[in-house]
Amino acid sequence: MKCEIQEFIEHLHNTRGTSRNTEVSYERDLKKLEQFLKQEGILEWHQVSAVLLNSYIMYLERKNFAASSISRSVASIRAFFQYLCQRECWRENPAEGLKAPKIEKKAPGILTVDEVDLLLSQPKENTAKGVRDRAMLELLYATGIRVSELIHLTLRDVNLKLGYLTCSQSERERVIPFGATAKTAVEAYMAWARVELLGENSSEWLFVNCSGKSMSRQGFWKILKGYAVSAGIQQDITPHTLRHSFAAHLVQNGADLKSVQEMMGHSDISTTQIYMNMNVNKIRDVYMKAHPRK
């Protein structure tokens, strides 16, 4: 069963040009399914029925997996069995009627502009680490890219002269501009801090850790959490908080949804629509507090 999973991942890479992150997610989801099926005595994919797949989804729910994780697993399973059906010429697809649980869309946590300013002012600019951290935070807020995309930026991906970066980690490559503040922060980092962190090492990655190696998601998360604490920010901050804040602040200041969608890399504009809804709710709150005849 492992062979078919690996062949499917290679198929995705060769025919769809999927990113490594996407491929890892598909592989992880399908290996979990494979483990479940083996426990049920199923050793071949053609033995799988619609009833078994539904039982697996119920098993994930009983194990208290998040609805978003289960939904992603359903998408992986559907894609995999569609591939098997085409390759093996199966008449029936057992995953055809498989349904994902409804995901309740919650408003993402965002920072106010003042909180962002406070957070971004925390790194000490008299140390190489502080200059690097300031550059990472400024670039993250200036572009709204994902943390996985930030830590995988190479020197070739950033054009400081024209003020834009090319983000190719996701399935849709996109070019995103950034302003003078982020540009100044990255230039300061490139001028001396990166050289000091690298020492005698060399690296294609834009941002490196204190050992001169590429940054990790966990490493960045610890950095962000530390600065949030020192800034006295009460709400729980995740690496996605600056991405959400970037989008919400753009919409609040009049940016059109289509442009924000392109910069965020959303395939569906309905995903971007949540930031417009947040803006409407904010306006309503202001109205209810201020209008004399509310």
Side-chain angles (χ1 to χ4, degrees), residues 138-139 141-143 159-160 162-164 176-187 246:
E138 288 285 1
L139 200 58
Y141 178 60
T143 60
N159 188 318
L160 283 173
L162 298 179
Y164 72 84
I176 310 168
F178 54 84
T181 305
K183 179 180 177 181
T184 300
V186 176
E187 284 176 338
F246 159 85

Side-chain angles (χ1 to χ4, degrees), residues 23-39:
E23 291 161 14
V24 168
S25 295
Y26 272 107
E27 189 172 8
R28 183 171 57 242
D29 292 338
L30 294 172
K31 283 184 175 179
K32 268 196 290 188
L33 171 63
E34 178 197 9
Q35 186 178 13
F36 171 82
L37 292 173
K38 284 183 176 179
Q39 291 173 353

Side-chain angles (χ1 to χ4, degrees), residues 47 50 126 135 147 157 164 169 187 209 226 267:
Q47 297 176 304
N126 60 347
V147 172
D157 292 330
Y164 72 84
Q169 276 298 301
E187 284 176 338
N209 62 23
S267 57

Side-chain angles (χ1 to χ4, degrees), residues 42-49 81 84 90:
I42 304 298
L43 302 177
E44 300 291 340
W45 291 113
H46 65 79
Q47 297 176 304
V48 177
S49 65
F81 275 95
L84 286 180
W90 291 355

Side-chain angles (χ1 to χ4, degrees), residues 196-260:
E196 185 171 315
L197 290 169
L198 278 173
E200 296 182 359
N201 299 317
S202 61
S203 177
E204 65 172 327
W205 305 116
L206 175 61
F207 294 112
V208 295
N209 62 23
C210 294
S211 301
K213 299 178 181 179
S214 61
M215 289 289 300
S216 66
R217 286 175 58 91
Q218 293 83 358
F220 179 82
W221 197 330
K222 288 180 181 178
I223 290 168
L224 181 63
K225 290 280 188 180
Y227 289 131
V229 170
S230 63
I233 296 173
Q234 298 299 313
Q235 70 164 289
D236 186 33
I237 290 182
T238 72
H240 241 48
T241 302
L242 283 175
R243 174 171 163 85
H244 290 315
S245 301
F246 159 85
H249 295 168
L250 280 179
V251 172
Q252 287 171 10
N253 285 287
D256 66 279
L257 280 185
K258 187 66 178 175
S259 297
V260 176

Side-chain angles (χ1 to χ4, degrees), residues 28-293:
R28 183 171 57 242
D29 292 338
L30 294 172
K31 283 184 175 179
K32 268 196 290 188
L33 171 63
E34 178 197 9
Q35 186 178 13
F36 171 82
L37 292 173
K38 284 183 176 179
Q39 291 173 353
E40 298 295 315
I42 304 298
L43 302 177
E44 300 291 340
W45 291 113
H46 65 79
Q47 297 176 304
V48 177
S49 65
V51 172
L52 259 176
L53 291 180
N54 278 300
S55 296
Y56 175 63
I57 300 305
M58 292 172 65
Y59 162 80
L60 293 179
E61 290 174 344
R62 287 196 305 272
K63 290 291 184 179
N64 295 320
F65 279 86
S68 56
S69 297
I70 298 175
S71 182
R72 192 198 61 225
S73 292
V74 168
S76 299
I77 293 168
R78 282 176 177 167
F80 177 60
F81 275 95
Q82 185 177 22
Y83 162 77
L84 286 180
C85 287
Q86 291 173 347
R87 196 187 76 164
E88 306 292 341
C89 299
W90 291 355
R91 289 186 178 182
E92 294 185 8
N93 181 350
E96 190 172 6
L98 198 62
K99 293 182 180 179
K102 289 185 178 180
I103 301 175
E104 182 182 349
K105 289 189 176 180
K106 297 180 180 178
I110 65 166
L111 301 175
T112 65
V113 174
D114 288 342
E115 286 174 328
V116 170
D117 288 340
L118 185 59
L119 178 67
L120 270 55
S121 68
Q122 295 306 305
K124 296 178 181 178
E125 297 186 78
N126 60 347
T127 67
K129 179 182 179 299
V131 172
R132 179 206 62 193
D133 295 350
R134 177 69 181 268
M136 287 194 298
L137 292 172
E138 288 285 1
L139 200 58
L140 199 63
Y141 178 60
T143 60
I145 60 176
R146 300 171 180 88
V147 172
S148 58
E149 294 168 334
L150 176 78
I151 64 176
H152 285 101
L153 286 174
T154 67
L155 295 173
R156 297 186 304 274
D157 292 330
V158 179
N159 188 318
L160 283 173
K161 185 177 180 181
L162 298 179
Y164 72 84
L165 61 81
T166 303
C167 191
S168 54
Q169 276 298 301
S170 60
E171 293 177 27
R172 300 173 63 204
E173 182 176 281
R174 60 198 195 279
V175 176
I176 310 168
F178 54 84
T181 305
K183 179 180 177 181
T184 300
V186 176
E187 284 176 338
Y189 165 68
M190 293 294 293
W192 67 273
R194 185 175 184 273
V195 176
E196 185 171 315
L197 290 169
L198 278 173
E200 296 182 359
N201 299 317
S202 61
S203 177
E204 65 172 327
W205 305 116
L206 175 61
F207 294 112
V208 295
N209 62 23
C210 294
S211 301
K213 299 178 181 179
S214 61
M215 289 289 300
S216 66
R217 286 175 58 91
Q218 293 83 358
F220 179 82
W221 197 330
K222 288 180 181 178
I223 290 168
L224 181 63
K225 290 280 188 180
Y227 289 131
V229 170
S230 63
I233 296 173
Q234 298 299 313
Q235 70 164 289
D236 186 33
I237 290 182
T238 72
H240 241 48
T241 302
L242 283 175
R243 174 171 163 85
H244 290 315
S245 301
F246 159 85
H249 295 168
L250 280 179
V251 172
Q252 287 171 10
N253 285 287
D256 66 279
L257 280 185
K258 187 66 178 175
S259 297
V260 176
Q261 177 194 5
E262 288 296 323
M263 287 184 279
M264 295 287 279
H266 291 158
S267 57
D268 191 333
I269 200 167
S270 65
T271 307
T272 320
Q273 184 73 41
I274 191 170
Y275 301 108
M276 178 62 78
N277 295 340
M278 290 170 66
N279 196 37
V280 170
N281 291 337
K282 180 183 176 183
I283 293 171
R284 184 184 295 113
D285 289 342
V286 170
Y287 175 89
M288 294 303 291
K289 288 177 182 177
H291 197 282
R293 295 177 69 86

